[in-house]
Amino acid sequence: MKLIVGLGNPGEKYKNNRHNVGWMVIDAITKIQNLKLKSQNYNSKLKSEIFRSGDVVLAKPTTFMNDSGRAVQALTRWFKVKPDDLYVIHDDLDISLGGYKIQKGKGPELHYGVQSVDRELGTKDYWRVRVGVDNRDPENRISGERYTLEDFTEEEKKILDGVIEEIVVDLARV
């Protein structure tokens, strides 16, 4: 069994934020596979919205980003998923908008959501789908914390949509 978890923040005001790119990828997968969210798809014990497709579980933790580890730990225990079969999708300011990397045990310099997952799992040895979101002006760089909580612009969203399509194809191969 594979567990694919998209990190993000709950609530309408965060829906289009750069920090919610993990949820956006999960939404794209569920749309392609025609998986519908029903009330029973939310599991309060696992603190996540859950979708199943064969031997793949897709999850969107409903904890806030910096507390994502609690939900990921609960999911891995419940579904008995080993780190080799865990994929965590998150935004990454170390990668420019339009890029992404799927790497095991490697992540951004600083990402509190990923740090929370590492801490709760007691390991960094799982797959990360690092989605580039950095499109800041090099001459006028705002802080990463503020930037990731801003919405994508319409122009950025077009670039992101293409990247998400590539990620979905790559994840279908794992």
Side-chain angles (χ1 to χ4, degrees), residues 1-147:
M1 174 173 289
K2 300 275 187 219
L3 174 60
I4 302 174
V5 180
L7 302 186
N9 282 316
E12 193 62 32
K13 80 176 195 176
Y14 299 108
K15 184 178 179 181
N16 295 306
N17 286 180
R18 291 173 181 90
H19 230 8
N20 271 37
V21 77
W23 278 27
M24 293 173 191
V25 174
I26 295 295
D27 289 342
I29 295 169
T30 60
K31 184 177 179 181
I32 288 167
Q33 295 186 0
N34 201 27
L35 301 173
K36 302 285 189 233
L37 176 64
K38 301 173 188 154
S39 59
Q40 68 264 27
N41 288 83
Y42 176 72
N43 187 312
S44 60
K45 183 177 180 179
L46 301 179
K47 301 168 188 65
S48 299
E49 291 178 6
I50 299 169
F51 307 84
R52 282 191 86 155
S53 179
D55 64 345
V56 176
V57 174
L58 306 169
K60 291 170 36 178
T62 54
T63 56
F64 280 91
M65 174 67 79
N66 296 351
D67 201 22
S68 298
R70 290 186 317 126
V72 174
Q73 181 189 53
L75 288 159
T76 57
R77 286 185 176 172
W78 180 263
F79 291 107
K80 298 176 177 68
V81 174
K82 294 179 170 61
D84 277 347
D85 296 321
L86 172 62
Y87 293 77
V88 176
I89 308 166
H90 60 87
D91 61 294
D92 195 320
L93 284 172
D94 294 343
I95 303 172
S96 297
L97 179 68
Y100 73 98
K101 295 179 181 179
I102 299 177
Q103 297 176 300
K104 189 172 187 184
K106 294 183 181 177
E109 282 185 38
L110 180 64
H111 192 295
Y112 295 128
V114 174
Q115 288 176 353
S116 172
V117 173
D118 294 350
R119 184 175 52 253
E120 293 295 329
L121 294 179
T123 185
K124 295 180 179 191
D125 197 32
Y126 56 90
W127 292 97
R128 292 115 189 272
V129 182
R130 303 170 57 196
V131 184
V133 297
D134 196 2
N135 196 31
R136 293 176 286 182
D137 178 355
E139 301 299 316
N140 187 23
R141 288 176 65 106
I142 65 172
S143 76
E145 287 182 13
R146 189 171 124 212
Y147 184 71

